[in-house]
Amino acid sequence: MPTQEERRAWNREIVEEFRANAGIVKMFPDTTIVLLHHVGAKTDTAYISPLEVIPQPDGGWVVHGANGGRDTHPSWYHNLRANPRTVIELADDGAVRTVKVVARVALGAERDRLADAVAAVSPPFRAFREATSRQIPVVVLEPVGESQS
């Protein structure tokens, strides 16, 4: 299991590749990725996490806190619960665009429906869901205000 610093270094490499290649990351050719900006709930430290995202018909996005199948929620999830207003970077017509979003945790029937939708298109999510006994959180990122280039 990689250390936290090893995971952060790996994330930094993905962020650099994402930005250098207009949102394309060769390691994840069939996965839509966004860069989620978040602030530490306890530390106020700024972080960027590359995450698999499922675009929604209404213009929002769904992310999941699978955390590689670990038995704990990812740090970004706790950070978004404390600071739900943030931005994401996403690929848009050959460029990377920044969008203001507000995060909300999906609950109940909505959570189950969205988790099933993620599982239908994401083999890693299905494997992570089977690897842990916790309920993996599903977070909806809803756009707010104007986007930026």
Side-chain angles (χ1 to χ4, degrees):
M1 185 77 53
T3 66
Q4 185 175 35
E5 187 50 45
E6 289 170 331
R7 286 193 307 267
R8 285 186 179 150
W10 188 66
N11 280 350
R12 281 191 296 273
E13 290 176 19
I14 293 171
V15 168
E16 290 172 11
E17 183 178 353
F18 182 96
R19 288 176 173 162
N21 297 301
I24 304 300
V25 178
K26 290 181 186 175
M27 184 182 300
F28 304 107
D30 299 322
T31 303
T32 303
I33 294 175
V34 297
L35 303 182
L36 173 74
H37 293 244
H38 52 103
V39 176
K42 297 177 184 175
T43 65
D44 279 338
T45 302
Y47 298 101
I48 301 172
S49 295
L51 298 176
E52 175 181 37
V53 67
I54 309 300
Q56 297 300 287
D58 65 0
W61 301 268
V62 171
V63 294
H64 57 82
N67 203 19
R70 295 175 189 85
D71 288 329
T72 58
H73 296 323
S75 297
W76 64 258
Y77 170 75
H78 299 290
N79 294 343
L80 284 183
R81 292 197 62 202
N83 302 295
R85 290 191 168 278
T86 190
V87 298
I88 59 172
E89 294 175 57
L90 55 93
D92 184 25
D93 199 25
V96 173
R97 177 171 61 109
T98 301
V99 178
K100 293 178 184 179
V101 296
V102 63
R104 75 175 168 78
V105 178
L107 301 172
E110 179 191 33
R111 185 246 168 244
D112 294 343
R113 178 181 58 77
L114 291 172
D116 289 344
V118 172
V121 297
S122 175
F125 176 80
R126 290 193 300 270
F128 297 149
R129 189 163 63 172
E130 292 174 10
T132 184
S133 60
R134 70 182 169 89
Q135 185 178 62
I136 294 173
V138 175
V139 177
V140 179
L141 303 173
E142 298 172 327
V144 293
E146 293 295 313
S147 63
Q148 305 163 357
S149 298

